Each structure stands twice: as C-alpha cells, then as structure tokens.
Amino acid sequence: MTSAPASRPRVLVTRAIFPEVIDQLAEHVDVEANPDDQLWSRDELIRRAQGKQGLLTTGGERVDAALLAACPDLRICANMAVGYNNFDVPAMTAAGVLATNAPGVLTDTTADFGFALMMAAARRVTESEHWLRAGQWDRWRYDLFAGSDIHGTTLGIIGMGRIGQGIARRGTHGFGMQVIYHNRSRLPAEDEAAVGATYVSKQALLQSADHVVLVVPYTPESHHTIGAAELALMKPTATLTNIARGGIVDDVALARALSEGRIAAAGLDVFEGEPKVHPDLLACRNVVLTPHIASASVPTRLAMARLAADNLAGFLTTGQPLTPINPEVLGKG
Ligand code: DGY
C-alpha cells in the first residue's frame, strides 16, 4: 500500500520577481505569485497570506502582530532585502514565525551606488545634464557647474555595517580619501585598519566631513538621524548621501538646507513616505534623486531573490534557512 503524498507547503510571493526564481521555488513548494505586480491593499495581502506557511516579501510589506494573528499558518517571512524595518521582529518571534533577510549579496553593488550618488551630487552630474538638455549650453565657462572634489577629501560614513565598510574601502583605496565613521559600536581595530577608517563622534563627523554618507538601518532610534540641527553642523561645501532608508533624514529640513545653501548638494535614493517624494526636494536643483535602486544591478537583484527563495524553501522543506534574523524561533516547536 502506498501512502498519500504529504501536501507541499504553500507560499505567497507578494510582488513580481524574476520568473526563474518563481520556477525554482515551485520545485519545492506550492507558489501563489504576483506576476503582474499588483499593489495589493493590506486587507488583500492578508487574505492571500491566509493558509500560507511562507511569505516572500520585498521590503515594503508590513508584517506585524495584526497580520500574524490573521495568518496563524505562517511559519516564515523571507525579505528580499537586507533591511527589514517592515518586520515587527519581536511580534514574529512571539508568534514563532521566522524572519529572514538578504544580507551579503548586495554589499558591493550598493556600495558602488552610494559612491555613484555621492559623486553625482558633488560633481553636479544630473543638474548639469538637465541644463544641457534644456538647450542652455552655449559656451565653456571657467566655473560652469564647478563642484567639489572626491579624491583627497574627507568621507564621513554614518553606519559601519557591511555596506558602510564597502564604501570606506572604496574611499580609502580607490580615491585616497580620509575616512571617518560613526556607528553604534566601534569596529575591531583590525577591521578599522582593513578599510582605513577612524572612529569619531557624530558631531565631529558632521563638522569635518566633506561628504557624509548614511548607511544605518531604520529603527525608532535612527529616525531623523539628520535633521536641521545636524545639517547646521555640516560644512556649506559638504554633500549628504542617503542610501539607507527614508526617515533617517528629515526631508523637509534637508530641502530647506539645500535651497538656502546650508550644504552644497545631496544624493538621495530613499525618502520619507516613498514612493512619494516631498515637493520641496523636487524643487531643489542641487539634489540627485533616484527611486530606491542602490541594489538594482540585474545580477544582484537576482541573487537577492534567489537568497529569499532559498530561505523559504530551505526552512519549509528541511528546517534550514540560510540567513535568519530571529534564529531563536528555530529552537521552538
Ligand atoms: C535593501 O536590501 O534593504 C534595499 O533597500 C532593497 O531594496
């Protein structure tokens, strides 16, 4: 007598992702996907998540106590992002739901982009391109879109995790910058030496950096890490680049500082309330704005999707996730 096949775990992929990753996932679990990338309401998301053991989320979907209570079959939520401020991790742990993220695979791509955004802001790349496209270029001028240098200047990094260290390496070894950083905890001396970075207070960093780059995770404590008071400490020639999360910068205060020339320029990939961008920022000419694409190279986005899928399938089929955020859940049940 043959026994009936055990039913396969069911997962919901909340947004469109690479079809080949959906196919890979479907080899192990039953998948409800969203190939048309519908933006489901929260009620619709919860309705579809009910009866699923796993969710593959992309960073914008809030997983909190209310969703967990409505979806008692849920065992894992795998974020296709290194940041996971969309997860209420204590609530997930209390509900015995594993949270995973996608660290490591996007470090260099994101650090490259941070550098690109900082350089574009310092050298006024998009501002000058808009001017050229508007047909205003009629002569060479000695000061035409003259900006500030990158090489040989002081780079201040706030947040010194993997991506912060990637930016530090680029600054030290690629551009001969003096790199200073501020972080909740100081790096071990050998890690500081490897990336060529010196630990300073936040105030000293803001006062002495020519280019400030933000790479801190978003938490209640990091909300408005940069507001009017911090912007007032910065050099008027300095730039500010945010590739971390919206909400780490007070966008209204930044728009004011940019329009008043309190700082020279900014590069922003993330915004408070994105995908909406504050109209005061849109009105500033000295800011480079990109739509949350710091990790968006094709190979990296594919690696992020594969890691999220491997976390889901690994946990649901063998109990072995790759990158758990709350591994204490693994010991339960
Ligand atoms: C991340 O991985 O947290 C990025 O912001 C992805 O979009």
Side-chain angles (χ1 to χ4, degrees):
M1 196 176 102
T2 54
S3 54
S7 69
R8 302 200 319 160
R10 289 184 299 278
V11 306
L12 176 67
V13 179
T14 59
R15 298 286 308 277
I17 62 166
F18 297 89
E20 58 267 47
V21 178
I22 299 286
D23 293 344
Q24 168 199 333
L25 201 49
E27 289 171 16
H28 307 281
V29 295
D30 286 349
V31 183
E32 177 180 339
N34 182 2
D36 298 330
D37 205 27
Q38 305 275 338
L39 290 178
W40 295 326
S41 67
R42 175 144 167 105
D43 285 350
E44 177 73 0
L45 170 69
I46 290 177
R47 191 186 65 70
R48 289 177 185 265
Q50 284 168 339
K52 306 292 191 309
Q53 284 78 45
L55 289 187
L56 193 155
T57 48
T58 57
E61 308 83 342
R62 178 114 191 101
V63 176
D64 56 12
L67 182 144
L68 296 165
C71 303
D73 296 320
L74 211 51
R75 295 179 54 217
I76 173 171
C77 298
N79 231 18
M80 184 188 141
V82 66
Y84 50 86
N85 52 300
N86 57 316
F87 286 171
D88 180 340
V89 177
M92 293 174 77
T93 305
V97 173
L98 187 75
T100 65
N101 66 339
V105 291
L106 47 56
T107 304
D108 283 315
T109 297
T110 306
D112 284 351
F113 193 84
F115 236 85
L117 205 50
M118 174 181 77
M119 293 185 79
R123 297 300 307 276
R124 306 175 67 179
V125 173
T126 56
E127 183 188 356
S128 59
E129 184 186 354
H130 288 144
W131 181 86
L132 177 153
R133 285 180 189 271
Q136 300 199 54
W137 189 21
D138 67 350
R139 72 194 70 181
W140 181 93
R141 261 188 66 93
Y142 74 98
D143 61 351
L144 186 62
F145 291 105
S148 53
D149 274 325
I150 296 293
H151 70 274
T153 61
T154 298
L155 170 60
I157 303 171
I158 300 185
M160 207 50 157
R162 293 183 186 83
I163 298 170
Q165 291 177 48
I167 290 173
R169 273 196 300 278
R170 284 157 177 75
T172 301
H173 302 304
F175 290 81
M177 300 174 90
Q178 185 199 336
V179 179
I180 54 180
Y181 77 100
H182 184 73
N183 197 43
R184 267 178 312 185
S185 49
R186 191 172 169 170
L187 295 183
E190 61 271 26
D191 293 352
E192 286 187 349
V195 300
T198 304
Y199 183 82
V200 296
S201 69
K202 181 177 160 191
Q203 177 167 337
L205 184 146
L206 292 169
Q207 287 172 326
S208 50
D210 297 301
H211 305 288
V212 175
V213 179
L214 303 172
V215 213
V216 278
Y218 183 74
T219 63
E221 295 72 42
S222 66
H223 182 73
H224 288 186
T225 294
I226 302 293
E230 289 75 19
L231 291 160
L233 293 173
M234 290 174 64
K235 297 180 183 181
T237 49
T239 71
L240 175 73
T241 296
N242 185 8
I243 53 166
R245 278 290 180 271
I248 289 169
V249 174
D250 176 345
D251 285 352
V252 173
L254 175 59
R256 193 173 312 121
L258 287 166
S259 62
E260 291 173 358
R262 279 281 324 119
I263 66 168
L268 304 176
D269 187 48
V270 286
F271 306 87
E272 293 189 283
E274 65 184 53
K276 290 205 175 79
V277 177
H278 197 285
D280 292 357
L281 279 176
L282 293 172
C284 290
R285 52 163 188 77
N286 48 347
V287 60
V288 180
L289 306 168
T290 53
H292 201 147
I293 55 170
S295 63
S297 72
V298 175
T300 291
R301 283 283 165 90
L302 186 56
M304 293 163 70
R306 284 201 196 286
L307 180 51
D310 288 346
N311 270 313
L312 266 186
F315 177 63
L316 289 174
T317 58
T318 66
Q320 301 281 314
L322 296 169
T323 51
I325 297 165
N326 55 350
E328 57 273 34
V329 165
L330 295 172
K332 289 187 184 171

